[in-house]
Amino acid sequence: MAEPSDRVARIQAEWRRERPDLDVAPQGVIGRLHRLAGRLTAELVAVYERHGLGEGEFDVLAALRRAGAPYERAPVDLARHTMVTTGAMTKRVDRLVAAGLVERRPAEGDGRRRIVALTPAGLEVIDAAFAEHMQNERRLVDQLSPDDQAALEPILTRWLQAYEGE
């Protein structure tokens, strides 16, 4: 039998030996995706940290920037665009307000509603961070051939749709 090709293959080989009654084939896909996700996250977070941001703060600033000028959203919309709870959003926004990157203010025409908006400093930070983020993602994706990239994206899209239903 050939030597297993990576850590996941070694784990699968051990399970096949110990539990030959179970199909461990799915572990090949899930295990590699899980390990890859951890590695990719570390690579992405390193860029955010260079800009003084955590992953959550980057996500909030990016959601505001994607909104277009004047770069603002209601907190409930921010939560929806970042897929976190409103409680988690409050903590993220609090940190960004303290850093001077966003501001909270009353919504026009409805003083009871609040709006979160990028400050000029926040716009500068997210524009620089996002440019570096895209360079970093290009570097990471370019470890695959163009054909592999083209094949992988629709596969991952279909799989994710099974969970998100979009």
Side-chain angles (χ1 to χ4, degrees):
M1 183 176 212
E3 181 69 23
S5 60
D6 63 17
R7 184 176 294 191
V8 173
R10 287 189 297 274
I11 290 168
Q12 285 178 288
E14 291 170 352
W15 277 120
R16 282 186 185 106
R17 182 191 69 227
E18 295 300 313
R19 290 296 309 268
D21 58 309
L22 295 177
D23 174 15
V24 297
Q27 195 174 44
V29 173
I30 301 295
R32 286 181 182 92
L33 279 174
H34 183 72
R35 291 180 55 75
L36 185 58
R39 300 256 178 164
L40 292 175
T41 297
E43 295 282 344
L44 298 175
V45 168
V47 170
Y48 310 148
E49 288 174 350
R50 283 197 288 277
H51 294 273
L53 302 171
E55 192 172 16
E57 289 84 18
F58 177 89
D59 198 21
V60 171
L61 294 179
L64 290 169
R65 182 63 170 93
R66 289 191 317 268
Y71 314 116
E72 62 187 30
R73 293 185 194 263
V76 69
D77 292 332
L78 264 179
R80 189 171 56 246
H81 285 274
T82 58
M83 296 185 289
V84 299
T85 66
T86 54
M89 182 55 61
T90 298
K91 291 177 184 177
R92 290 177 181 184
V93 171
D94 286 347
R95 288 190 297 267
L96 290 166
V97 166
L101 301 177
V102 302
E103 63 183 5
R104 285 188 181 99
R105 58 178 174 71
E108 285 186 31
D110 185 355
R112 297 169 302 190
R113 287 186 53 233
R114 306 295 283 170
I115 294 294
V116 178
L118 284 177
T119 63
L123 179 60
E124 187 176 315
V125 167
I126 192 56
D127 278 351
F130 186 70
E132 186 178 349
H133 174 67
M134 285 293 89
Q135 292 171 342
N136 191 37
E137 283 194 350
R138 170 55 52 208
R139 176 185 66 82
L140 295 168
V141 170
D142 280 349
Q143 295 175 48
L144 300 174
S145 72
D147 287 345
D148 283 349
Q149 292 176 40
L152 184 58
E153 186 172 0
I155 292 167
L156 294 175
T157 299
R158 285 190 303 275
W159 198 3
L160 188 57
Q161 284 172 343
Y163 289 91
E164 294 183 348
E166 294 177 14

